[in-house]
Amino acid sequence: MSAPTQPRFVVQEHGPRDFSVYDTKTGLSRYPCFTRRGAQTIADRKNAEQATKEAR
């Protein structure tokens, strides 16, 4: 069995009410949000999109 893969897009906290989605492959922080929940929703969506691209 292989080790679990790390998600490509993760939530990064910059300060109080300051979150963004960090792309671990390119090293860029994008999609600024005021809440962790909002940033996590975007990160989950981007990770799902990436999984479908890799499955093709």
Side-chain angles (χ1 to χ4, degrees), residues 22-35:
Y22 179 72
D23 184 348
T24 58
K25 186 173 182 180
T26 63
L28 298 175
S29 290
R30 296 188 284 177
Y31 311 108
C33 293
F34 290 114
T35 62

Side-chain angles (χ1 to χ4, degrees), residues 21-52:
V21 177
Y22 179 72
D23 184 348
T24 58
K25 186 173 182 180
T26 63
L28 298 175
S29 290
R30 296 188 284 177
Y31 311 108
C33 293
F34 290 114
T35 62
R36 177 175 287 281
R37 179 184 284 178
Q40 188 63 54
T41 302
I42 294 169
D44 291 342
R45 186 181 73 233
K46 298 303 282 180
N47 283 323
E49 289 173 3
Q50 190 64 30
T52 58

